[in-house]
């Protein structure tokens, strides 16, 4: 048995909530003497008994001693798997500094190195998610059963982020190493929207990789084979999703970082059959629409005069553009064909036109231009000159694609209005330009958002400090998941996603607006997530799709009616609903007493119960 345990390579699972070990490991040096005594831990911990804030201070000191971001990532992963309560205290109290470590940009590097930095912790107490090789899909029932046995009763997952690692951020096919993304996204679910960490399930479909350096890497931990053909992919993926859906019927499924064709394919197959959404298509569309609404309000020209050039026509580019079309149609009453005509795309082969001579991928057809005559812009420079855009949106994975000369042209074209420039590719090494470049080249007039967090910029002439917007789906997917987990809609509709985007735009404070910011400050993310989740719940009830009677009744009572099918997705919700949503958010314990109380099974665990009755002190 000991041998088996030592051969495991999984990292620590937070669950097993009934275990006294969990209390001991999450309390550590905060364990009172009486408890140490009852749990036979006397002498096994340093004598000082301290409070959680002292532990947090020590953890922060240790974090700051790490000289590289990857070392910080490894330290934080270790802390999460050792003491999840302390980990989330640290994250929540230092979100601005820590989000770029547990998420983009560092998570990109961590994924590339995943097989090398993998921690040595043993299952079944140490499981950080499901690794499902394509060779084991026939045994998916057994895998799910093993997972169920590794968790405490009542900890069935309510949310999963699932990837096959085929398009991790803008870094390409990372195979099984992509597991870092579901793990990272679910940390944001907890931090940003208060999902219970014990009920979050990261999953990687280990379906092989076409990246030779991983196949050749002796430490690579995934299966060593090439990716399957489409039909084999869909058969295997469908079997896994069917089994997961059968085992956990109300679990919210977030598809993440699948290569673009499969991202669209899986969404179409599953969106009406299970509670699911695709973060790269819908989440990105949602968050960019939220920021774009604010940008259009500040740009200084009417919305219908916008000329929007997308660089990159993948799942993210097309997902965002479709949300923006909906916005122009729904909010501004522009007919769909006219709204669509406000958009141009450039991909790796140049401007996307119906007559450029290649067979366009299905997802690009909707936006292909038909009015270009003989013009076929082959480069971005040519397309910029041809379109004279008011807005330039990058989802291309091409680092520095927005050269200084392109940024300067955006400034020239937009002298009477402010140019909108969103370099949204992740991580930083793929971003189309930096905040500093965009500010400098546009006389500091740019309305800016980026996928990765960039540093603030100090305007040299005035000393004014400008904060860049982060147009990253992290602002919305946690709230969409929370809202879905609470009100249990039959499915996620585009109008629900639209309502969340509107709520995001509505969530800016007067100060944030006055400073010209497009997104709320990250320190307010939980408050904003509560608003966004309330908007999703309200919209789900209006559409008659919410299934949780409590939330249906609550929204109906606010609205004075039972449901308004197909109501306008305005992102509004009744006062009080967001604070009610907040009550469902998980927060780490502040002290030992709260920690004990927060572990529902703790008191019933046989060891704890017998220790308690023996000592009368627990
Ligand atoms: N900010 C955010 O919240 C999000 C950002 N992203 C980022 O968006 C990027 C793209 O993701 P997907 O659309 O899923 O990937 P994808 O690989 O499907 O799309 C990339 C697109 O860029 C085009 N492209 C490649 N080289 C080009 C060039 N030299 N010039 C112009 N276009 C070029 C490709 O033809 C393709 O259309 C990634 O970096 C990803 O990290 C994705 C989701 C969310
Ligand atoms: C942010 C995100 O989901 C991506 O870059 O893929
Ligand atoms: Mg993604």
């Amino acid at each position: 048995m000991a041998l088996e345990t030592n051969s495991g390579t999984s990292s620590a699972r937070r669950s097993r909530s009934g275990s006294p070990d969990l209390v001991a490991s999450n309390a550590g040096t905060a364990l009172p003497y009486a408890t140490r005594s009852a749990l036979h831990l006397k002498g096994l911990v340093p004598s000082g008994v301290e409070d959680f804030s002292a532990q947090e201070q020590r953890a922060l000191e240790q974090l700051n001693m790490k000289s590289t971001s990857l070392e910080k990532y490894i330290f934080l992963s270790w802390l999460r798997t050792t003491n999840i309560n302390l980990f989330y205290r640290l994250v929540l109290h230092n979100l601005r500094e820590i989000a770029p470590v547990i998420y983009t940009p560092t998570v990109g590097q961590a994924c590339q190195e995943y097989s090398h930095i993998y921690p040595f912790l043993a299952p079944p107490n140490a499981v950080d998610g499901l690794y499902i090789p394509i060779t084991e899909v026939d045994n998916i029932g057994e895998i799910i059963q093993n997972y169920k046995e590794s968790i405490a009763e009542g900890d069935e997952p309510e949310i999963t982020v699932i990837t096959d690692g085929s398009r991790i951020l803008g870094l390409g096919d990372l195979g099984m190493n992509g597991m870092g993304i579901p793990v990272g996204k679910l940390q944001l679910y907890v931090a940003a929207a208060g999902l219970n960490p014990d009920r979050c399930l990261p999953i990687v479909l280990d379906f092989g990789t076409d990246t030779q350096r991983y196949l050749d890497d002796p430490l690579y931990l995934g299966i060593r084979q090439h990716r399957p053909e489409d039909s084999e992919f869909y058969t295997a993926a469908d079997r896994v999703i069917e089994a997961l859906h059968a085992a956990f019927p109300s679990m919210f499924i977030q598809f993440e970082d699948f290569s673009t064709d499969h991202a669209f394919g899986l969404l179409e197959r599953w969106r009406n059959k299970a509670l699911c959404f695709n973060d790269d298509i819908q989440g990105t569309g949602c968050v960019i629409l939220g920021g774009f609404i604010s940008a259009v309000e500040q740009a200084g020209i009417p919305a219908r005069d916008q000329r929007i050039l997308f660089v990159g026509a993948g799942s993210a580019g097309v997902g965002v553009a479709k949300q923006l079309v909906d916005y122009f149609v729904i909010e501004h009453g522009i007919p769909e064909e006219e709204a669509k005509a406000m958009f141009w795309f450039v991909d790796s082969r140049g401007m996307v036109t119906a007559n450029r001579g290649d067979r366009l991928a299905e997802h690009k057809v909707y936006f292909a231009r038909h009015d270009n005559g003989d013009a076929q812009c082959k480069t971005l420079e040519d397309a910029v000159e041809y379109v004279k855009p008011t807005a330039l949106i990058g989802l291309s994975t091409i680092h520095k694609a927005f050269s200084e000369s392109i940024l300067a042209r955006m400034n020239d074209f937009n002298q009477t209005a402010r140019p909108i420039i969103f370099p949204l590719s992740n991580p930083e090494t793929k971003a189309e330009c930096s905040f500093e470049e965009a500010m400098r080249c546009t006389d500091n007039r740019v309305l800016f958002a980026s996928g990765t967090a960039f540093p603030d910029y100090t305007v040299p002439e005035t000393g004014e400090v400008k904060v860049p917007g982060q147009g990253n789906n992290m602002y919305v997917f946690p709230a969409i998941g929370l809202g879905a987990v609470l009100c249990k809609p039959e499915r996620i509709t585009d109008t629900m996603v639209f309502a969340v985007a509107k709520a995001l735009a509505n969530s800016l404070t007067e100060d944030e607006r006055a400073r010209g910011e497009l997104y709320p400050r990250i320190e307010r993310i939980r408050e904003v997530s509560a608003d966004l989740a309330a908007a999703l719940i309200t919209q789900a009830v209006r559409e008659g799709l919410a299934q949780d009677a409590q939330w249906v009744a609550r929204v109906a009572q606010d609205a004075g009616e039972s449901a308004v099918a197909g109501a306008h997705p305005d992102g509004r919700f009744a006062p009080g609903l967001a604070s009610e949503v907040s009550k469902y958010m998980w927060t780490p314990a502040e002290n030992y007493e709260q920690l004990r109380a927060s572990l529902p099974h703790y008191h019933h665990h046989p060891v704890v119960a017998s220790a308690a009755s023996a000592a009368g002190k627990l």
Side-chain angles (χ1 to χ4, degrees), residues 109 120 126 174 264 331 410 447 477 515 527 544 563 587 605 607 616 618:
Q109 191 191 356
F120 298 92
L174 304 192
F264 282 108
E331 289 288 300
M410 285 296 291
L447 290 160
F477 67 76
R515 287 193 297 263
E527 175 194 329
T587 43
H605 191 280
V607 176
L618 277 174

Side-chain angles (χ1 to χ4, degrees), residues 50-216:
E50 59 188 357
D51 60 26
F52 283 11
S53 57
Q55 294 180 338
E56 199 180 318
Q57 190 184 334
R58 183 177 305 105
L60 190 59
E61 272 185 20
Q62 292 185 19
L63 179 68
N64 290 335
M65 279 175 205
K66 308 293 173 198
S67 47
T68 67
S69 301
L70 191 61
E71 283 170 357
K72 287 180 201 272
Y73 179 94
I74 294 169
F75 170 76
L76 288 169
S77 297
W78 168 81
L79 186 62
R80 175 173 53 85
T81 50
T82 307
N83 184 336
I84 198 160
N85 195 68
L86 180 54
F87 170 78
Y88 278 112
R89 287 175 64 87
L90 197 65
V91 169
L92 280 166
H93 293 153
N94 302 276
L95 195 54
R96 180 170 290 279
E97 294 74 27
I98 289 182
V101 181
I102 58 174
Y103 191 54
T104 180
T106 308
V107 73
Q109 191 191 356
C111 285
Q112 289 172 307
E113 303 290 334
Y114 193 78
S115 290
H116 289 256
I117 62 174
Y118 194 71
F120 298 92
L121 291 166
N125 285 332
V127 176
D128 64 358
L130 286 183
Y131 298 81
I132 304 176
I134 195 161
T135 46
E136 292 287 348
V137 164
D138 286 345
N139 300 322
I140 184 66
E142 181 188 341
I143 292 176
I144 291 174
Q145 185 55 31
N146 289 344
Y147 183 75
K148 282 184 171 170
E149 286 170 17
S150 83
I151 58 178
E153 208 184 313
D155 277 351
E156 284 74 24
E158 53 192 6
I159 195 145
T160 181
V161 176
I162 181 165
T163 189
D164 71 345
S166 53
R167 191 288 272 147
I168 292 296
L169 307 176
L171 299 169
D173 178 357
L174 304 192
M176 188 284 312
N177 288 334
M179 181 57 144
I181 285 292
V183 168
K185 291 265 175 186
L186 284 163
Q187 287 170 38
L188 287 181
Y189 264 108
V190 179
L195 273 292
N196 181 340
D198 278 343
R199 304 192 63 185
C200 294
L201 174 57
I203 299 181
V204 65
L205 300 178
D206 184 6
F207 282 11
T209 176
D210 290 335
T211 301
Q212 196 59 41
R213 81 173 175 284
Y214 293 131
L215 294 173
D216 294 340

